[in-house]
Amino acid sequence: MKKIIALLLAAILMLSLAACAESKPEATEDTSSSATTAPTETTTEEPTEATTEPSVSTDGETLGQTLRAAFLDAMDTNPEATTLEIAETLIGNPAIQFMPVTEPIVPGYLSGFTADIDGFAEGTMFAPMIGSIAFVGYIFRLDEGADVDAFMQTLTGSADPAWNICVTAEETVVDHVGNTVFFVMCPGEAA
């Protein structure tokens, strides 16, 4: 029985190493601007957006921008939806070509960030079940009266596109409607 378990663990390790080895080579373009973001508007009623180094997909819209548009549509359709309901709507988007999972989150350490993320009342993560895809998304609901722009700056300032050991996200998109914040780090094209 011990030999079977050891062989099974070795096979899983080999598969995980193979997944890392098959990642695309790093781009040779200058990445020094990867932490820069577009300025955001100060109003919390209109959506604002910040992105970093988007890669354009074949249809002219990046994966992050596609999901941002889906977020805005979901908020327009049902502004009282929970963060879980919004995340489940987003993972149903045809641009997501992997097996996704949603999970409620609490303030503290979150995957994809170099610092603890707090200051939200409700949150949901959406991500692929397979860890070798450079994708992680969040929907945050802040308390009424919270400083949404400061929260968004915290997200972009502590985002780590290379959080995943095998691959690096090419795009970071953050936006909000009222006190509901959308955040995603992802490949430029559908994964």
Side-chain angles (χ1 to χ4, degrees):
M1 185 66 172
K2 289 181 182 179
K3 287 181 181 180
I4 292 173
I5 291 173
L7 286 173
L8 184 59
L9 290 173
I12 290 171
L13 178 62
M14 294 296 286
L15 287 174
S16 67
L17 290 174
C20 290
E22 293 178 12
S23 65
K24 295 179 183 176
E26 293 291 320
T28 58
E29 64 186 63
D30 180 21
T31 58
S32 62
S33 63
S34 64
T36 62
T37 59
T40 58
E41 298 175 18
T42 56
T43 175
T44 59
E45 296 307 314
E46 291 297 316
T48 60
E49 140 188 44
T51 62
T52 59
E53 293 188 26
S55 299
V56 178
S57 65
T58 56
D59 65 354
E61 189 171 64
T62 65
L63 177 59
Q65 293 300 326
T66 299
L67 294 175
R68 176 189 170 270
F71 163 73
L72 295 174
D73 288 344
M75 290 301 297
D76 189 45
T77 303
N78 184 4
E80 300 303 317
T82 65
T83 60
L84 181 60
E85 291 168 334
I86 297 166
E88 288 177 350
T89 298
L90 296 178
I91 64 171
N93 190 296
I96 296 204
Q97 299 176 3
F98 52 77
M99 181 66 69
V101 63
T102 59
E103 181 178 333
I105 55 170
V106 296
Y109 173 77
L110 299 177
S111 183
F113 297 100
T114 58
D116 286 354
I117 303 298
D118 53 18
F120 61 93
E122 175 190 356
T124 299
M125 177 185 81
F126 54 103
M129 286 185 163
I130 299 173
S132 62
I133 300 172
F135 184 103
V136 65
Y138 294 96
I139 303 296
F140 300 98
R141 175 89 23 88
L142 308 183
D143 288 324
E144 289 298 323
D147 188 344
V148 177
D149 289 330
F151 183 79
M152 289 171 49
Q153 288 295 334
T154 298
L155 294 178
T156 56
S158 62
D160 179 11
W163 87 97
N164 191 318
I165 217 166
C166 297
V167 292
T168 300
E170 299 169 332
E171 176 180 32
T172 298
V173 180
V174 62
D175 201 347
H176 78 98
V177 174
N179 66 335
T180 304
V181 177
F182 164 84
F183 177 89
V184 69
M185 284 190 295
C186 61
E189 297 180 10

